[in-house]
Amino acid sequence: MKVAKFGGSSLASAEQVQKVVDIIKEDTQRRFVVVSAPGKRNNADKKVTDLLLAVCAARCANEPIEALLAEIYGRYEAIAAPFKIAADHLASIHTSLQQFVTLPYENNPHFYDTVLASGEDNNAKLIAGILQSAGLPARYMNPRELGMTVTDEPQNARILHASYEKINAWHDSQAILVIPGFFGYTEAGDICTFSRGGSDISGAIVAAGLQVDLYENFTDVDGIFSAHPGYVHRPESIKEVTYREMRELSYAGFTVLHDEALMPSYHAKIPVVIKNTNNPSHPGTLITNHRDNLEQPVIGVASDEGFCMIYIRKYLMNREVGFTLRVLEIFRDLDLNYEHMPSGIDDISIIMRSNQLTAELEETLLRKIAYEIDPDELRITHDLSMVVVVGEGMRQRVGITADSTAALARKNINLEMINQGSSEVSIMFGIHKEQEKAAVRTLYYTFFD
Ligand code: ASP
């Protein structure tokens, strides 16, 4: 049994929806379908969720919303046009949109959530109707009826654990259930959405609740590439990757799936496959708990910019009890998050995201370290990128670090920092951002043909 989640680009037009119908028809194991709101049809287009955000903003500014509502309704109407669906599906979408003209927004913490969630909710109703017209036993399933109960955190909800058991009760449903992604209901009965892109989370929750064999996440790419296609010409797409590798890759800039989306399926040990609606025969990328084929030691090279590094050196630092603790307390007191902290005998480097620092905060931080730690050397390096070489197979293979650093040296790329976590799933290099692209490229060609 499978859960199939379709993203916005897979549902943006009638042509795309036809592909989705064919995909569902082709495999009777696809019994639970989770849908996003209609996405962009082309680069210049707007996602329905973004139009709904505009509705919220207009209402809060006491501006008219009729034109926006007409535009949104038009999107559903255009998708429905070639399909022979019962007229009441569109009528119900129209009614649901019209209520936003009067829905109170003052003293209503769930105003945005209610409006935004309608993008997926209306789409689920429509897709269920279209599947029925194609002769499939489909049924729209509201998240409340399904048992999707979430925390009361507007636009940032989290699933409540009890939901999984409730969802599991639908395990033997005979109908193909079409479930809107992106939102659930609080215990008090209010709509709360997950963070943006959250339909991926809904799909993973439904998959975990039902304990299905596979969670298929349909998008518009042939899976995950081994490197950024903007950096490397036609990189290979990854066939199989573990959750751990995926986590390392997405941390360093690979964002095919919503970050949190993997949590529920990871805990439930359910494999996820990322597939292309426009090329469904391509096997895509399979994300699993365990990977047997470790022949290829490196699975991907990822990178992200926007880091800075604070270097602290103090003679005999290693003999001072609580030294690191005192440094980190300064970070905590200033509410600063750090990402990595490689250390030597007498020095440590603290790497953090630069967007946390204003010039003022930076000065305070350095002043506090200077005053409280009294280091022999203290400096900050800006404009760093982190380049990460990822692969579970590295553990069994000697020389990956040597091959990487040799390749970087050949390109004259200076390493500000190397960090190989004890997990040995990844090696991270801190380099100047100007050299990020060249570094990814040379590392990719070192480990891939
Ligand atoms: N439609 C929502 C968004 O654009 C959720 C999703 O598509 O996953 O963020």
Side-chain angles (χ1 to χ4, degrees):
M1 204 160 73
K2 298 173 182 172
V3 167
K5 182 257 165 181
F6 294 91
S9 62
S10 302
L11 301 161
S13 64
E15 195 190 346
Q16 289 301 90
V17 169
Q18 183 58 54
K19 293 178 192 169
V20 170
V21 174
D22 294 340
I23 288 169
I24 296 170
K25 257 192 173 166
E26 185 216 283
D27 186 345
T28 51
Q29 290 186 313
R30 294 185 175 127
R31 301 251 312 280
F32 300 89
V33 176
V34 176
V35 298
S36 277
K40 293 181 180 190
R41 292 160 293 190
N42 51 57
N43 272 345
D45 203 12
K46 290 202 178 102
K47 291 170 113 187
V48 162
T49 309
D50 290 324
L51 293 171
L52 289 162
L53 260 179
V55 167
C56 295
R59 270 299 309 282
C60 295
N62 283 323
E63 286 163 9
I65 60 167
E66 281 71 13
L68 279 168
L69 294 183
E71 188 178 347
I72 296 166
Y73 177 72
R75 294 289 292 273
Y76 293 105
E77 199 175 35
I79 293 169
F83 301 100
K84 292 188 182 58
I85 60 164
D88 53 353
H89 289 293
L90 279 174
S92 118
I93 293 176
H94 193 264
T95 314
S96 106
L97 289 169
Q98 286 311 311
Q99 38 162 24
F100 301 145
V101 177
T102 50
L103 181 72
Y105 61 86
E106 274 166 352
N107 303 319
N108 180 2
H110 303 102
F111 174 73
Y112 268 75
D113 300 61
T114 308
V115 175
L116 294 184
S118 76
E120 315 345 73
D121 199 47
N122 284 327
N123 213 22
K125 288 179 185 159
L126 183 63
I127 300 298
I130 290 173
L131 290 173
Q132 285 158 9
S133 75
L136 290 164
R139 177 187 161 200
Y140 158 79
M141 169 59 67
N142 183 272
R144 182 172 13 210
E145 194 181 352
L146 184 72
M148 181 85 79
T149 318
V150 297
T151 55
D152 193 349
E153 293 169 278
Q155 290 179 75
N156 200 20
R158 279 165 303 133
I159 192 75
L160 289 176
H161 201 76
S163 303
Y164 292 112
E165 215 183 304
K166 289 191 240 160
I167 294 172
N168 192 264
W170 292 95
H171 189 274
D172 297 325
S173 154
Q174 293 307 305
I176 297 175
L177 301 185
V178 183
I179 305 154
F182 193 35
F183 70 98
Y185 287 81
T186 65
E187 280 173 324
D190 293 306
I191 289 180
C192 249
T193 71
F194 300 115
S195 52
R196 285 298 304 267
S199 297
D200 285 336
I201 306 180
S202 306
I205 293 167
V206 174
L210 293 160
Q211 291 287 319
V212 292
D213 304 298
L214 186 63
Y215 169 27
E216 295 180 307
N217 192 296
F218 282 90
T219 167
D220 52 8
V221 285
D222 285 337
I224 300 162
F225 294 113
S226 313
H228 193 306
Y231 289 5
V232 171
H233 180 62
R234 301 187 62 171
E236 287 178 24
S237 80
I238 302 175
K239 287 187 194 68
E240 197 178 344
V241 58
T242 64
Y243 278 105
R244 245 163 103 172
E245 291 169 326
M246 191 59 211
R247 177 79 187 104
E248 301 275 347
L249 288 170
S250 62
Y251 169 78
F254 276 50
T255 45
V256 178
L257 271 186
H258 192 295
D259 264 0
E260 280 169 64
L262 290 175
M263 278 275 283
S265 38
Y266 167 72
H267 285 303
K269 296 194 169 54
I270 291 169
V272 179
V273 65
I274 302 193
K275 283 182 72 89
N276 190 351
T277 300
N278 306 314
N279 188 15
S281 58
H282 190 285
T285 300
L286 185 68
I287 309 169
T288 52
N289 273 64
H290 177 79
R291 178 161 77 83
D292 282 326
N293 177 9
L294 295 177
E295 221 137 86
Q296 193 172 1
V298 172
I299 202 155
V301 181
S303 65
D304 201 6
E305 58 173 25
F307 293 88
C308 63
M309 177 170 77
I310 290 151
Y311 175 80
I312 306 170
R313 189 172 59 78
K314 189 168 187 189
Y315 191 62
L316 294 183
M317 173 190 109
N318 66 334
R319 302 242 190 107
E320 270 187 52
V321 175
F323 180 89
T324 322
L325 179 66
R326 275 191 287 136
V327 174
L328 293 183
E329 271 170 354
I330 298 175
F331 275 73
R332 184 201 56 198
D333 293 346
L334 294 172
D335 205 18
L336 294 170
N337 214 349
Y338 78 94
E339 304 280 325
H340 312 280
M341 195 176 47
S343 64
I345 311 172
D346 280 341
D347 56 8
I348 53 172
S349 300
I350 298 169
I351 293 155
M352 58 187 292
R353 299 249 175 208
S354 314
N355 59 7
Q356 297 181 83
L357 285 180
T358 56
E360 209 182 343
L361 196 53
E362 178 178 321
E363 207 199 304
T364 313
L365 173 67
L366 294 177
R367 204 163 5 89
K368 268 184 171 262
I369 296 175
Y371 179 73
E372 288 175 34
I373 306 290
D374 191 24
D376 298 330
E377 189 179 342
L378 172 65
R379 62 185 144 81
I380 179 162
T381 313
H382 292 283
D383 295 331
L384 287 182
S385 288
M386 294 297 137
V387 178
V388 192
V389 174
V390 178
E392 301 245 18
M394 293 196 301
R395 219 174 300 146
Q396 278 122 301
R397 192 76 70 90
V398 177
I400 303 291
T401 313
D403 291 348
S404 306
T405 49
L408 293 167
R410 275 196 299 277
K411 293 282 170 198
N412 238 329
I413 295 171
N414 184 36
L415 298 178
E416 303 281 347
M417 187 272 315
I418 304 185
N419 190 12
Q420 177 170 30
S422 32
S423 65
E424 284 191 66
V425 177
S426 69
I427 313 170
M428 184 171 284
F429 302 99
I431 53 164
H432 197 271
K433 74 168 183 201
E434 237 102 81
Q435 295 181 305
E436 178 183 327
K437 233 184 205 184
V440 170
R441 222 176 274 154
T442 189
L443 290 170
Y444 178 84
Y445 290 118
T446 302
F447 298 110
F448 294 85
D449 289 338

